[in-house]
Amino acid sequence: MKKPFVTKKQVQEIAGKYPTPFYIYDEKAIRENARRVYSAFSWNKNFKEFFAVKATPNPRLMQILMEEGCGFDCSSETELMLSEAIGAKGEDIMFSSNDTPAGEFVYANKLGATINLDDFTHVEFLEKAIGKIPETISCRFNPGGVFKMSNGIMDNPGDSKYGMTREQLFEAFKILKEKGAKRFGIHAFLASNTVTNEYYPTLAGQLFELARDLQEKTGAKVGFINLSGGVGIPYKPDQEGNDIEAIGNGVREQFEKILVPAGMGDVAIYTEMGRFMMGPYGGLVTKAIHEKHIYKEYIGVDACAVNLMRPAMYGAYHHITVLGKEDAPLDHIYDVTGSLCENNDKFAVERNLPEINNGDYLFIHDAGAHGFSMGYNYNGKLKCAELLLCEDGGCELIRRAETARDYFATFDCIGVYDDLDRIMKKKGV
Ligand SMILES: *Cc1c(COP(=O)(O)O)cnc(C)c1O
């Protein structure tokens, strides 16, 4: 059973100060999980987790992860700026971008970030952009075909836009080495949201063999192997979660089987997890404001897909707990909807839930990664606040809710923004 990390009483108190909807994150659990990750890979001397900023781009949360030893995986200019803003430096930043504008390579290089090249043509593109090839450089690999594990096909790299072919990778290493690169990395992301302890070890086995061959054939010194993201979380209550300790051990077995005999026991393992670091430790809290009985039973809440897009976008399951009714029988069947003029704006479809009354608070689980960050402003909806449930039990506002002023700010070029005070006055705010 999934249990929210806040109670109805806590939420009532918080909502008195910060109206729903809001995101809330659990500091203690974030820290404990990060420590489990570091412990699982403690056998590897220079292991580092580069938190995938896109999952939860909030500087306060990034700061917490930085205190736990994490660096940051960025793929855009603003993500780099966020990392810079909280004091992340140099090789604490991984720049795993794709289709990268030249200016972003320039900025990443200025920060001293490790640049992970998505494509063979980016070797030349990067050199043109920054006037050199950095000493530390990484390349992203795409093996093509399908990615299989013992329980079947996991994903379809042959269909994915990322990374270089094997041949391109060998060629890229040769050229980068000639141009002065000294410390090389390889990176691959072959399956998303895997809930099996086998994913990282299987991927690691393939990358370790590749790294060994690359070093042997090109003489390029492989300094790190980046297993990237893809370690998933159990969104459904009957799913069993990943055991990060077992995953760490599985990677270690491959490391000792493949890299150590090749004299590559000093290679650092990097990860770029987003979902696993933050997903379970953030929830979206929303209030039931309408019930509707037509051909189906609907509960209308004050959040919508703008706040959490995953269900609308790919039918993703997010578990819902009605706060204060944790033990009530699930004897009602509801569609839980938001207010967008889009019929896919539903947090749950035909879900068994306890009876929901107007004013009830719903806790939407596992929204801590790829939740708030996917938000948008369709229907002129504004993004909600983010709160941190602190280790000491307090509650901290870590991102205020958007206001109409934020929405209007980009119209400053046509004078509409200047008129906002008059409009706001009329609206009574
Ligand atoms: C999205 C992404 C990640 C994080 O993925 P999760 O599934 O959240 O762990 C890591 N690296 C890269 C390059 C990504 O694009």
Side-chain angles (χ1 to χ4, degrees):
M1 206 181 89
K2 278 188 181 282
K3 200 172 164 298
F5 54 82
V6 282
T7 62
K8 179 180 178 183
K9 187 161 169 289
Q10 271 175 307
V11 162
Q12 274 171 329
E13 261 167 45
I14 295 168
K17 193 161 177 200
Y18 308 110
T20 54
F22 55 76
Y23 270 81
I24 187 158
Y25 301 89
D26 183 354
E27 178 181 9
K28 186 162 179 282
I30 292 167
R31 288 189 188 277
E32 284 169 357
N33 180 67
R35 286 171 201 170
R36 280 196 294 274
V37 168
Y38 271 89
S39 155
F41 286 91
S42 56
W43 53 268
N44 184 257
K45 192 162 152 263
N46 292 309
F47 169 78
K48 196 170 184 76
E49 150 69 6
F50 293 83
F51 175 64
V53 174
K54 73 164 190 250
T56 326
N58 185 301
R60 183 71 182 87
L61 299 173
M62 290 168 67
Q63 208 172 41
I64 291 170
L65 288 174
M66 193 159 81
E67 283 167 13
E68 298 300 333
C70 299
F72 301 104
D73 161 39
C74 302
S75 62
S76 72
E77 189 163 80
T78 23
E79 288 179 1
L80 287 168
M81 289 170 75
L82 283 172
S83 305
E84 159 84 347
I86 60 155
K89 292 219 162 52
E91 294 196 352
D92 288 347
I93 305 171
M94 184 67 63
F95 189 51
S96 290
S97 61
N98 70 93
D99 190 19
T100 316
E104 298 194 5
F105 276 138
V106 173
Y107 183 43
N109 180 58
K110 243 184 224 164
L111 295 178
T114 299
I115 291 173
N116 183 26
L117 297 174
D118 179 66
D119 189 50
F120 180 71
T121 60
H122 292 188
V123 175
E124 200 184 320
F125 188 86
L126 174 69
E127 192 182 24
K128 270 215 184 97
I130 68 171
K132 61 166 187 185
I133 291 297
E135 285 198 358
T136 298
I137 192 83
S138 174
C139 292
R140 183 166 182 165
F141 173 53
N142 181 338
V146 292
F147 181 69
K148 276 192 230 137
M149 294 195 320
S150 65
N151 52 350
I153 292 174
M154 290 299 293
D155 222 318
N156 201 345
D159 256 356
S160 116
K161 68 171 177 170
Y162 306 108
M164 312 183 193
T165 67
R166 189 180 164 93
E167 293 70 30
Q168 288 174 334
L169 201 59
F170 277 77
E171 194 57 24
F173 267 45
K174 265 186 231 155
I175 297 170
L176 289 164
K177 185 163 176 274
E178 279 164 19
K179 291 183 182 293
K182 294 198 162 54
R183 183 169 172 261
F184 289 76
I186 52 174
H187 167 284
F189 189 162
L190 303 187
S192 200
N193 191 28
T194 58
V195 263
T196 151
N197 296 334
E198 248 188 278
Y199 171 63
Y200 260 4
T202 307
L203 171 67
Q206 293 185 11
L207 290 184
F208 293 169
E209 283 174 0
L210 176 64
R212 181 193 60 200
D213 296 351
L214 275 164
Q215 185 161 306
E216 205 177 277
K217 298 242 165 59
T218 67
K221 174 96 183 89
V222 176
F224 57 92
I225 291 169
N226 187 341
L227 303 177
S228 189
V231 178
I233 57 168
Y235 284 99
K236 294 193 171 151
D238 57 354
Q239 268 180 311
E240 199 179 326
N242 284 316
D243 176 350
I244 196 69
E245 193 67 32
I247 291 173
N249 279 329
V251 174
R252 181 184 196 160
E253 273 171 31
Q254 297 298 319
F255 192 90
E256 284 169 358
K257 194 171 93 188
I258 301 162
L259 288 185
V260 173
M264 296 170 72
D266 58 345
V267 168
I269 302 300
Y270 293 164
T271 56
E272 290 176 342
M273 293 182 278
R275 199 184 308 270
F276 189 79
M277 301 306 289
M278 207 59 93
Y281 316 118
L284 173 60
V285 178
T286 180
K287 192 161 73 175
I289 56 172
H290 290 288
E291 48 183 283
K292 173 163 179 162
H293 319 279
I294 46 170
Y295 310 102
K296 285 168 108 177
E297 296 296 298
Y298 294 94
I299 294 295
V301 296
D302 61 4
C304 62
V306 159
N307 306 111
L308 175 63
M309 194 184 190
R310 298 185 71 258
M313 191 169 175
Y314 14 69
Y317 180 95
H318 279 266
H319 197 64
I320 295 176
T321 299
V322 183
L323 294 174
K325 297 183 177 175
E326 285 81 352
D327 301 318
L330 308 179
D331 53 3
H332 285 63
I333 297 176
Y334 292 119
D335 279 20
V336 177
T337 79
S339 55
L340 294 188
C341 303
E342 278 282 358
N343 197 39
N344 64 355
D345 184 15
K346 295 179 177 179
F347 292 112
V349 176
E350 291 166 27
R351 180 85 55 92
N352 282 85
L353 288 161
E355 180 176 23
I356 298 175
N357 303 109
N358 285 344
D360 278 348
Y361 292 109
L362 275 60
F363 183 91
I364 303 180
H365 291 255
D366 302 313
H370 313 294
F372 183 98
S373 60
M374 277 189 177
Y376 54 116
N377 284 111
Y378 194 57
N379 264 169
K381 297 287 175 181
L382 303 173
K383 288 180 215 157
C384 66
E386 292 185 295
L387 306 169
L388 180 66
L389 181 66
C390 304
E391 259 188 317
D392 65 7
C395 185
E396 183 187 335
L397 182 67
I398 57 172
R399 186 198 300 257
R400 68 162 170 82
E402 274 183 344
T403 68
R405 198 171 286 283
D406 299 310
Y407 190 91
F408 271 73
T410 45
F411 302 126
D412 53 356
C413 53
I414 54 168
V416 174
Y417 186 61
D418 304 331
D419 206 24
L420 191 59
D421 285 331
R422 183 184 60 80
I423 297 168
M424 296 281 253
K425 204 178 256 167
K426 201 165 197 173
K427 180 174 163 269
V429 289

